[in-house]
Structures are given as C-alpha cells and as structure tokens.
Amino acid sequence: MSQIPPQMPPSSYSNQPGYGAPMPVRRTNGMAVASLIFGLVQCIPVLSGVLAIIFGMMGIKRARNPEVAGGKGLAIAGIIL
C-alpha cells in the first residue's frame, strides 16, 4: 500500500486560495507608521507629539480605502502615544 496521497488534477487547484491568480499586495501606510514612530520617540516631546497627531490623522484618512493601504490601528496607536 502506498503512503503517497493521490494527485489532484490541476483544475481543482484554481479554486483554492493561493493557487492560480496571485494574491493582491497591500501596501504599507507610511503615514500610520510615521505616526507610531513619532508617538514612540519622545525626544522632543512637543514637536514629536504634534507630528504624531498630524501623521496619525493623515494615516487614518488614507486607511479608509483598504485597497490602497491598511494601518488604521497603527495610526490610532500613534495618536494615543
């Protein structure tokens, strides 16, 4: 008795995720990442805090369209910090 599972025909692969058409690539929301970094780095408290809020607002606005970029959580974390 063989231990090798039977091969599936190639047509059945196309219906499964990850096979056939390539998965769409989501871009990173740079504004959200910048907001998080400025929120974490408080070397110059007033300037980096203001920049974190500004970049966070812009990051949330950009994250509204999920096809372009995600990162709403990063932007909110940057604003909170």
Side-chain angles (χ1 to χ4, degrees):
M1 179 170 249
S2 174
Q3 296 294 326
I4 301 173
Q7 294 292 326
M8 295 175 61
S11 63
S12 63
Y13 287 128
S14 62
N15 295 335
Q16 297 177 1
Y19 292 101
M23 298 295 289
V25 177
R26 287 186 64 180
R27 295 184 46 140
T28 303
N29 190 342
M31 298 294 174
V33 173
S35 172
L36 183 63
I37 290 172
F38 280 117
L40 288 172
V41 178
Q42 292 291 326
C43 297
I44 307 171
V46 176
L47 180 63
S48 62
V50 170
L51 288 174
I53 292 171
I54 291 171
F55 283 128
M57 297 289 202
M58 293 168 57
I60 289 173
K61 188 180 290 187
R62 185 176 286 182
R64 286 183 184 162
N65 185 0
E67 295 175 3
V68 175
K72 184 176 179 180
L74 292 175
I76 291 172
I79 292 172
I80 290 172
L81 290 174

